[in-house]
Amino acid sequence: MNTQTPTHEILDALIIGAGFSGLYQLYRLREKLGLSVKVMEAGDGVGGTWYWNRYPGARCDSESHVYCYTFSKELTEDWNWSERYPGPGEIVAYLNHVTDRFDLRRSIEFGARVAGARFDEENNCWDVELASGKHYRARFLITAVGCISSANIPDIEGLDSFAGEWFHTGQWPHDGVSFDGKRVGQIGTGSTGIQAAPVIAETASHLTVFQRTANYSVPARNRALTDEDRMTHKRDASIIRELTRGNTNGHGWRISEQNALETSPEDRKLIYEKAWETGGLKFRSSFADLLASKQANETAASFIKEKIRQIVKNPETAASLADIDHPYAAKRPPIDTHYFETFNKDNVTLVDLAKTPISKINRDGLVCQDIGANGSFLEILHQLDTIVFATGYDAITGTLLRMDIRGRDELTLREAWSSGPRNHLGLQVDGFPNLFMVTGPGSPSVLTNMPAAIEQHVEWISECIAYMLEHEHTTIESPGASAEWWVKEVNDAANATLLPKVKHSWYLGANVPGKPRVFMPYAGGLDRYRDICQQVANDSYRGFVFDR
Ligand code: NA7
């Protein structure tokens, strides 16, 4: 990073990112604490993840009435969601509404990509450098960069030689992509691929879905909301708020207290059928023991696999789609609109990469390898006009580590996390004073309905800064021992579940070659996490050190 003396503004706080986290953090620090704050946003508009993710079929998996802020009654009153699950257009419109309602835009610099930040030990402030070369100085630096904003584009030989077009779902052109009459290849069958395939198949002349790992999915059952739905959500807003704050997952429901293994097979089937009809992520809350016991999980897994075999008419395709190698919901469980039904269309083919792995891309398309009966390799060319990479993200740490962040003694975040992310409560890293992370690694983040986790983090950080102002503290940081304790808590929480028991999962960083294989989110539940953070604050920020 260029260390030229910064000449620009000196702020109380600089926030990176203008999505759900950054906007609320700006509001809390500027409006409630009266601080001088600026948000640096790489995009040309607000929205964060949703600003970039405009791929076909993109839709939030949280229900709209909980995928929103709860801090302002007036805001809840004056916004009307149109569907059970909001799409990117509506979420971005909501965030623009919030931005204007609270006059936030004047504190946001758009097209401002942060290249790096260095802690100036002499002046106890952060020197932040933008890609443009511009500098800012700020006492507090808050990353609000989201968890899935760095695209993971696999390094497949020959991509440069491909004569057609290719796109990653997380960097989708804002003016759309036409698939009319095109032979489209989609790589990836995570939440994104499962949403995209049915929509791409509507207009493509042919869609080939390349599946590396078969995946579970439950129908989303999206629908238009009625006036009555909206009235109920507004009337019950405070009850819903308490519910999302007081449960493990931040959604608007509780996990059943009943165990699958203590329920008769007949009753269990009825419960799963009902959950399948209701649709959505709530399916995973059908029983208390689904993520704790392999045997219990197997009951949900085999129910869904049976549904796949019933829906998909071609037995070979059905077998590949249902050949799932991990426990249900041990990876992020997708929800869909006619995903499995899509494979009954004449213009859709599944390629099972477990049988014929990708070997390269050439001018004409994607080449897979088949092993002949005599052990010889055969090449199969899938001719394509367009390739869609629905291959996910360098999640949770990727965006943080792409910036050159340096703490005390020029220690880079990349060095500090060379064996995986280490921090205290998912909020602060040893050696990086006055740097806070919203929904970073070690916090419940992606295991929850994100706005619920975001509000908790933003409120905790804001209260911590208010405490520092009141007590005239200049810096706050967390010593290594605190990180050691918290990393153990994070590992223990994950190991009490089936979550680490998968081959490729972005929760584990295992989807990105070379990334340390460490379970990153805190799996102990948002309610428990909230309590721990509150106890730490009540105890004068136990485990943190002021004015070292
Ligand atoms: P995911 O869940 O990481 O899914 C990525 C998919 O791409 C998954 O099926 C991967 O297979 C596949 N993939 C990744 N790399 C390759 C290569 N090299 N070859 C073939 N297939 C590959 O990302 P999503 O965008 O779907 O979802 C991310 C989150 O966004 C989601 O959970 C929601 O929170 C919203 P794998 O399973 O790793 O074998």
Side-chain angles (χ1 to χ4, degrees):
M1 174 183 171
N2 178 352
T3 52
Q4 78 190 59
T5 310
T7 51
H8 293 83
E9 291 176 66
I10 300 179
L11 303 157
D12 291 321
L14 186 140
I15 299 164
I16 310 174
F20 266 95
S21 311
L23 294 175
Y24 186 36
Q25 189 66 75
L26 166 60
Y27 170 77
R28 288 294 296 231
L29 295 183
R30 199 188 73 186
E31 297 304 306
K32 300 288 174 187
L33 297 187
L35 302 186
S36 63
V37 190
K38 260 193 188 292
V39 175
M40 297 298 134
E41 167 54 55
D44 290 331
V46 300
T49 300
W50 298 103
Y51 176 84
W52 305 103
N53 274 271
R54 316 260 181 123
Y55 60 87
R59 199 167 280 287
C60 184
D61 286 349
S62 289
E63 294 180 75
S64 52
H65 69 283
V66 294
Y67 198 73
C68 51
Y69 297 114
T70 65
F71 68 87
S72 158
K73 276 192 184 131
E74 296 74 24
L75 174 62
T76 306
E77 267 308 312
D78 67 18
W79 182 259
N80 291 309
W81 292 108
S82 68
E83 292 177 273
R84 180 176 177 189
Y85 304 98
E90 196 166 16
I91 299 171
V92 170
Y94 170 73
L95 290 175
N96 271 296
H97 170 76
V98 172
T99 303
D100 294 331
R101 195 183 203 293
F102 298 104
D103 188 25
L104 301 177
R105 208 172 293 276
R106 65 183 162 88
S107 303
I108 307 171
E109 197 166 313
F110 293 104
R113 184 174 289 282
V114 171
R118 187 181 141 268
F119 187 68
D120 171 350
E121 297 195 55
E122 210 171 300
N123 297 300
N124 284 321
C125 71
W126 283 92
D127 170 9
V128 179
E129 185 180 6
L130 305 187
S132 64
K134 189 172 175 182
H135 282 252
Y136 281 105
R137 288 208 291 176
R139 192 165 152 204
F140 294 101
L141 177 63
I142 302 169
T143 63
V145 294
C147 298
I148 47 169
S149 42
S150 282
N152 172 37
I153 300 169
D155 185 15
I156 302 175
E157 185 199 320
L159 179 58
D160 287 351
S161 65
F162 181 54
E165 292 184 305
W166 65 268
F167 306 93
H168 186 280
T169 51
Q171 299 168 342
W172 205 255
H174 282 194
D175 42 6
V177 173
S178 168
F179 298 112
D180 271 357
K182 297 269 171 69
R183 295 163 303 177
V184 182
Q186 176 190 301
I187 307 176
T189 54
S191 296
T192 300
I194 280 175
Q195 288 184 335
V199 182
I200 296 174
E202 282 171 16
T203 52
S205 72
H206 194 90
L207 169 66
T208 309
V209 176
F210 296 89
Q211 169 189 281
R212 182 164 75 179
T213 310
N215 213 342
Y216 301 94
S217 185
V218 167
R221 312 267 183 228
N222 189 31
R223 63 175 176 82
L225 293 178
T226 62
D227 286 342
E228 200 187 336
D229 291 325
R230 281 185 281 270
M231 211 185 64
T232 310
H233 294 151
K234 287 181 188 187
R235 187 198 62 204
D236 297 343
S238 56
I239 301 168
I240 295 168
R241 181 172 201 257
E242 286 320 300
L243 184 57
T244 58
R245 293 183 157 225
N247 68 17
T248 53
N249 54 45
H251 287 280
W253 64 76
R254 288 192 195 287
I255 295 177
S256 165
E257 287 175 6
Q258 190 176 348
N259 281 331
L261 294 180
E262 288 160 10
T263 307
S264 71
E266 298 74 28
D267 288 350
R268 221 164 37 209
K269 183 148 194 314
L270 285 176
I271 290 168
Y272 284 139
E273 284 292 356
K274 187 161 177 261
W276 183 267
E277 282 317 308
T278 305
L281 291 176
K282 196 177 174 194
F283 189 91
R284 71 179 163 180
S285 303
S286 301
F287 292 105
D289 49 354
L290 288 189
L291 273 180
S293 147
K294 204 150 189 258
Q295 224 187 328
N297 191 285
E298 188 49 39
T299 65
S302 53
F303 176 88
I304 300 175
K305 289 177 186 175
E306 186 52 34
K307 285 285 184 199
I308 298 171
R309 285 188 286 263
Q310 282 166 11
I311 296 169
V312 179
K313 297 199 175 106
N314 178 315
E316 200 188 331
T317 305
S320 285
L321 287 166
D323 186 16
I324 307 173
D325 66 354
H326 53 277
Y328 167 67
K331 284 185 172 192
R332 172 67 152 69
I335 60 174
D336 70 276
T337 300
H338 309 313
Y339 175 63
F340 295 114
E341 291 83 347
T342 295
F343 292 95
N344 294 334
K345 289 185 152 190
D346 293 337
N347 68 333
V348 179
T349 313
L350 180 77
V351 172
D352 187 344
L353 299 178
K355 293 179 185 149
T356 60
I358 297 173
S359 65
K360 61 184 175 206
I361 293 173
N362 68 18
R363 196 178 181 286
D364 301 319
L366 217 143
V367 180
C368 290
Q369 228 170 38
D370 197 5
I371 303 175
N374 58 0
S376 61
F377 287 108
L378 305 172
E379 289 205 324
I380 308 164
L381 170 66
H382 299 277
Q383 293 199 325
L384 302 170
D385 302 306
T386 309
I387 299 176
V388 174
F389 287 94
T391 43
Y393 301 87
D394 182 353
I396 304 179
T397 53
T399 310
L400 294 167
L401 293 177
R402 281 182 196 187
M403 295 181 285
D404 181 14
I405 299 182
R406 290 165 189 260
R408 288 197 191 278
D409 304 322
E410 291 287 322
L411 176 71
T412 65
L413 191 57
R414 200 164 268 283
E415 285 158 356
W417 285 1
S418 57
S419 326
R422 291 167 47 80
N423 59 26
H424 185 33
L425 292 178
L427 284 159
Q428 268 222 321
V429 187
D430 176 23
F432 295 77
N434 290 5
L435 169 69
F436 291 105
M437 297 178 174
V438 182
T439 66
S443 75
S445 66
V446 292
L447 299 178
T448 71
N449 170 42
M450 287 298 283
I454 287 168
E455 282 197 334
Q456 184 263 339
H457 257 188
V458 166
E459 285 160 15
W460 192 94
I461 293 167
S462 307
E463 279 156 28
C464 177
I465 292 176
Y467 176 93
M468 288 178 68
L469 297 176
E470 192 189 333
H471 293 82
E472 298 183 358
H473 292 309
T474 307
T475 58
I476 178 170
E477 54 201 294
S478 62
S482 301
E484 240 156 73
W485 168 71
W486 187 244
V487 166
K488 184 173 179 317
E489 288 289 308
V490 172
N491 288 336
D492 289 352
N495 291 333
T497 72
L498 301 173
L499 288 164
K501 303 206 176 342
V502 300
K503 200 162 67 179
H504 295 112
S505 151
W506 57 265
Y507 292 162
L508 277 162
N511 61 328
V512 176
K515 192 165 172 172
R517 196 182 162 99
V518 173
F519 192 85
M520 293 183 284
Y522 174 68
L526 183 58
D527 47 356
R528 186 171 146 66
Y529 177 77
R530 179 183 282 280
D531 284 349
I532 296 170
C533 291
Q534 195 55 52
Q535 282 162 19
V536 165
N538 293 347
D539 205 1
S540 309
Y541 294 89
R542 175 170 31 92
F544 292 91
V545 174
F546 294 106
D547 305 321
R548 196 192 93 180

